[in-house]
Amino acid sequence: MDELTITLRKPVSIGDITYSELKLQEPTAGQIEKASTGSQSSVGAVINLISAVAVVPRKMVEGLCQRDFKEASKFLESFDDVESAQQ
């Protein structure tokens, strides 16, 4: 599965915009690099990566409930697992 749409358990509102889903896909090398640059924690890097891949503001990702955040994070981590299994 190269794409995943997550229907948010708790929609996130920023200003006049309410986000009710996240559309994720396999991250590019550039997105991974940018996500880790300047992050002071691994959680911050994951927040940056979700924001980049889903093309949503970082603040929106910061507002995700724990279950939605974990689901998105697990999906993005799955690409690392595939590569590790091939080595």
Side-chain angles (χ1 to χ4, degrees), residues 7-8 11 21 25 27 31 34 52-53 66 71 74 77 81 85-86:
T7 301
L8 301 180
E21 66 180 21
Q25 59 190 11
Q31 288 171 324
K34 286 179 185 176
V53 171
Q66 178 69 11
E71 186 176 352
K74 186 176 178 180
E77 288 173 5
D81 294 342
Q86 293 176 349

Side-chain angles (χ1 to χ4, degrees), residues 16 40 51 62:
D16 295 340
Q40 295 182 1
S51 173
E62 291 172 350

Side-chain angles (χ1 to χ4, degrees), residues 26-79:
E26 182 174 3
T28 65
Q31 288 171 324
I32 294 168
E33 179 192 28
K34 286 179 185 176
S36 62
T37 303
S39 275
Q40 295 182 1
S41 70
S42 59
V43 173
V46 174
I47 289 171
N48 289 341
L49 186 57
I50 293 169
S51 173
V53 171
V55 192
V56 296
R58 188 181 199 283
K59 194 138 192 91
M60 181 273 176
V61 180
E62 291 172 350
L64 291 174
C65 72
Q66 178 69 11
R67 291 176 291 168
D68 291 336
F69 180 75
K70 278 192 167 192
E71 186 176 352
S73 177
K74 186 176 178 180
F75 172 76
L76 294 174
E77 288 173 5
S78 72
F79 296 102

